[in-house]
């Protein structure tokens, strides 16, 4: 049964619109949120509740709350007895693991980013841990300088967090725009400029795409038309080296907004004149968050890979179409996330 | 279809059979999208307290045996307390000066006065909501022993009310579940100058079941009136002080 190129051509817009629509629906509820009377730097994101998902997030929230409530006691215990440091580190790590499973944008952005870029699993994990480490370091630096040295109030800390948040989301929007340009606009332009002979390609491209079965690893120029160019993969990318110049945007976009749990435990440690416990707790939280985000990013890569394989893999028309659609959809998702979070932070952040 | 296979793998097994197209491609694609949609969606659990408040409620009566208002004291958890205290000047006993605490109290009460929050308190008599004046006698304190901050305020009824055949119910809850309240202290519920015939009881909220949580989550923020059956359920999710006078 031959591939019907026309049907294939339609699948991409449908998938993309589905993602876009979904995110727009979510956006309506974000924008309707108003600030809470007792403001702490807490990320307010829309509620998604359905079936097992609600049960799952509910349970996670309960665990996370339990760990959170133990943190103050653990800081005090360490202050009294050095050996109790492990208690705080363990709790903070567990809090980080469950925190990343609950609300937050980090895991979603990173999952979309690695899909959009066809990162390797190893790179996805490195990105996850790097961004979580940056997140912890930003929290430590912010509380250390603003609260520890300048002794500002909680209200000012909320404001600083809001600015960092805006910066992170602006950066994220830029990153999304760049991904959309690279994976959707550029291939489309290429396709249009190839139109003169493109028609015949549409009919026979499924005949000559097996000469490069492993080209799908990581090559940057995603081929939207699948019209049979010979793709020579860059050997360094096959090897799975992370391109740090390319990755810093994603790392900073995720890491720039410090996690509220880390800020609160740092401020509490400061109030106990025991800031080092706060630093250790923030780093342990970062490690836990990184572990969860890395796992989720790897899962999203695995799912994407399975979808491509379902269509016959990158070498086949269907596989390539699904792969490209996923890449395009993930790029759009990053862009929409950025715009959505930015507008929500702009309207309802602590800046107002 | 296929086990977990990371991008690192070079050989695609399905590519070995180039002429066999997978009929389930579309279905798998949709399933994939669905899975990813779940993964991408920022999730906020409905039941996710980030703040814990040990609360007390006191019912105030006038000489005619009418309820004039409710005074509440909310003691905040240590983490939030230290955050609220951060950056304030401290007196010799490590307590913030009262004028600083008053400023904080003013900002909290202003925010709580928002109709959406309404001090997280509703007073009902039968099916009718009892209107209240803005909060007064606002006081924020710092307890140096427990290192906790507390907020006290009185919510006066617009018109004093003597409950007769029906109970007067004071419900306390944060509808967003951001703040978790507890009324567990022995003296959590009290009455001042109450007539003999009146009795106040505390009713603990029931746990939010998942079905209700989902239905609540599905209702848009612009909807102010819940369906009757859902309203009946959410009533049981609040901490309730039930005042009955025979």
């Amino acid at each position: 049964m031959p591939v019907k190129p026309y049907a294939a051509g339609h699948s991409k817009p449908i998938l993309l619109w589905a993602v876009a629509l979904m995110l727009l629906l979510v956006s309506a509820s974000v924008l309707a949120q108003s600030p809470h009377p007792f403001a702490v730097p807490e990320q307010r994101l829309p509620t998604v509740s359905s079936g097992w998902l609600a049960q799952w997030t509910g349970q996670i929230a309960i665990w996370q709350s339990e760990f959170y409530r133990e943190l103050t006691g653990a800081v005090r215990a360490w202050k009294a007895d050095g050996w109790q440091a492990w208690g705080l580190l363990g709790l903070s790590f567990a809090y980080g693991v469950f925190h990343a499973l609950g609300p937050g944008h980090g895991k979603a952005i990173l999952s979309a980013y690695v899909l959009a870029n066809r990162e390797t699993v190893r790179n996805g994990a490195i990105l996850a841990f790097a961004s979580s480490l940056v997140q912890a370091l930003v929290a430590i630096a912010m509380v250390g300088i603003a609260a520890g040295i300048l002794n500002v109030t909680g209200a000012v800390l909320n404001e600083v967090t809001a600015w960092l948040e805006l910066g992170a989301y602006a950066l994220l929007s830029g990153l999304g725009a760049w991904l959309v340009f690279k994976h959707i606009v550029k291939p489309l332009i290429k396709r249009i400029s190839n139109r003169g002979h493109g028609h015949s390609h549409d009919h026979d491209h499924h005949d000559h795409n097996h000469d490069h079965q492993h080209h799908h690893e990581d090559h940057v120029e995603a081929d939207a038309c699948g019209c049979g160019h010979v793709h020579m993969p860059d050997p360094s990318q096959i090897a799975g080296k992370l391109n740090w110049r390319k990755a810093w945007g994603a790392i900073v976009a995720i890491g720039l907004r410090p996690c509220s749990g880390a800020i609160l435990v740092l401020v509490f440690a400061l109030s106990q004149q025991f800031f080092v416990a706060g630093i250790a707790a923030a780093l342990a939280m970062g490690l836990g968050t990184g572990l969860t985000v890395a796992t989720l990013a790897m899962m999203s890569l695995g799912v994407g890979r399975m979808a491509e394989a379902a269509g016959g893999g990158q070498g086949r028309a269907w596989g390539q179409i699904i792969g490209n659609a996923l890449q395009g959809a993930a790029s759009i998702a990053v862009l929409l996330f950025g715009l959505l979070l930015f507008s929500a932070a702009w309207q309802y952040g602590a800046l107002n | 279809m296929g086990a977990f296979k990371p991008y690192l793998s070079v050989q695609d097994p399905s590519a070995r059979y180039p002429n066999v197209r997978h009929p389930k491609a579309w279905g798998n694609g949709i399933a994939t999208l669905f899975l990813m949609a779940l993964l991408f969606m920022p999730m906020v659990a409905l039941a996710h307290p980030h703040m814990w408040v040990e609360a007390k409620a006191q019912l105030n009566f006038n000489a005619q045996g009418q309820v004039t208002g409710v005074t509440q004291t909310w003691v905040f958890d240590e983490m939030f307390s230290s955050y609220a205290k951060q950056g304030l000047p401290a007196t010799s006993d490590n307590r913030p000066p009262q004028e600083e605490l008053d400023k904080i109290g003013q900002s909290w009460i202003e925010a709580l006065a928002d109709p959406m929050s309404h001090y997280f308190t509703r007073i009902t008599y039968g099916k009718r909501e009892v209107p209240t004046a803005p909060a007064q006698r606002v006081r924020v304190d710092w307890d140096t022993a427990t290192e906790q901050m507390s907020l006290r305020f009185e919510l006066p009824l617009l018109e004093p009310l003597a409950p007769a055949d029906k109970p007067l119910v004071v419900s306390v809850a944060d509808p967003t579940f951001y703040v978790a309240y507890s009324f567990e202290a022995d003296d959590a519920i009290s009455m001042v100058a109450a007539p003999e015939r009146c009795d106040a009881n505390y009713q603990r909220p029931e746990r939010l079941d998942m079905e209700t949580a989902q239905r609540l989550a599905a209702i848009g923020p612009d909807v102010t009136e819940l369906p009757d059956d859902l309203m009946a359920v959410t009533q049981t999710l609040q901490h309730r002080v039930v005042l009955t006078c025979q």
Side-chain angles (χ1 to χ4, degrees), chain B residues 14-45:
Chain B
S14 52
R16 269 182 261 143
Y17 311 102
N19 294 321
V20 180
R21 192 173 79 85
H22 288 263
K24 281 199 223 148
W26 247 117
N28 270 324
I30 291 165
T32 304
L33 192 81
F34 178 68
L35 272 175
M36 306 236 305
L38 293 181
L39 197 64
F40 285 168
M41 277 199 199
M43 289 172 285
V44 171

Side-chain angles (χ1 to χ4, degrees), chain A residues 1 3 11 15 18-19 22 32 36-38 40-42 44-49 51-58 61-62 64-65 68-69 71-72 76 101-103 107-108 111-112 115 118-121 147 151-154 157-158 210 213-214 216-217 263-265 267-268 270-272 296 298 300-303 305-314 316 318 322 326 333 337, chain B residues 1-26 28-54 74 76-80 82-89 94 107-108 111-112 114 116-117 120 146-147 151 174 176 178-179 181 207 210 213-214 217 221-222:
Chain A
M1 199 173 146
V3 176
S11 71
L15 288 172
V19 170
M22 178 189 89
H36 196 276
F38 300 113
V40 294
E42 179 56 38
R44 312 286 282 163
L45 284 174
T47 300
V48 174
S49 262
W52 58 270
L53 192 64
Q55 226 151 22
W56 190 53
T57 51
I62 291 163
Q64 191 198 331
S65 297
Y68 177 85
R69 291 221 74 183
L71 284 173
T72 51
R76 289 218 174 91
L101 280 173
K107 63 171 186 303
S111 302
L115 269 180
R118 289 173 181 278
E119 291 288 357
T120 59
V121 168
N151 197 27
V152 302
T153 61
L157 282 182
N158 287 351
H210 309 301
Q213 285 173 2
H214 53 264
H216 56 80
E217 290 315 312
I263 295 173
L264 285 161
V265 77
V267 171
F268 178 75
L270 199 60
S271 79
Q272 302 298 307
L296 290 172
M298 290 200 276
S300 86
L301 282 172
V303 169
R305 187 74 186 77
M306 270 161 66
E308 264 179 29
Q314 267 291 316
R316 302 283 303 156
W318 266 105
I322 292 173
L326 281 177
F337 265 131
Chain B
M1 188 60 233
F4 174 86
K5 234 164 151 285
Y7 271 104
L8 270 176
S9 69
V10 172
Q11 192 71 31
D12 181 350
S14 52
R16 269 182 261 143
Y17 311 102
N19 294 321
V20 180
R21 192 173 79 85
H22 288 263
K24 281 199 223 148
W26 247 117
N28 270 324
I30 291 165
T32 304
L33 192 81
F34 178 68
L35 272 175
M36 306 236 305
L38 293 181
L39 197 64
F40 285 168
M41 277 199 199
M43 289 172 285
V44 171
L46 202 59
H48 72 299
H50 285 274
M51 241 182 101
W52 286 261
V53 168
E54 297 155 35
W74 295 349
F76 302 111
D77 67 83
E78 290 174 285
M79 201 80 105
F80 181 81
S82 73
Y83 195 78
K85 182 173 175 266
Q86 162 61 36
L88 300 184
N94 198 22
S107 69
W108 280 343
L112 282 165
D114 183 277
M116 279 288 280
S117 315
F120 297 142
T146 61
E147 300 189 58
L151 166 70
D174 174 2
T176 63
Y178 181 82
V179 183
Y181 287 91
R207 277 187 79 119
M210 279 307 158
Q214 288 162 32
D222 50 317

Side-chain angles (χ1 to χ4, degrees), chain A residues 136-184:
Chain A
L137 293 176
V138 167
I140 293 166
M142 183 186 94
V143 176
I145 294 168
I149 297 171
L150 304 173
N151 197 27
V152 302
T153 61
V156 176
L157 282 182
N158 287 351
E159 218 166 291
V160 174
T161 311
W163 278 109
L164 289 174
E165 192 169 41
L166 270 184
Y169 298 157
L171 197 61
L172 183 63
S173 306
L175 188 70
W178 175 70
L179 287 171
V180 167
F181 175 76
K182 203 173 86 174
H183 297 309
I184 297 176

Side-chain angles (χ1 to χ4, degrees), chain A residues 151 273, chain B residues 85 87-101 142-144:
Chain A
N151 197 27
Q273 285 96 42
Chain B
K85 182 173 175 266
L88 300 184
T91 55
S92 55
D93 57 347
N94 198 22
R95 180 199 300 273
Q98 192 57 45
E99 69 260 27
E100 294 290 338
L101 294 175
W142 177 263
D143 187 327
T144 42

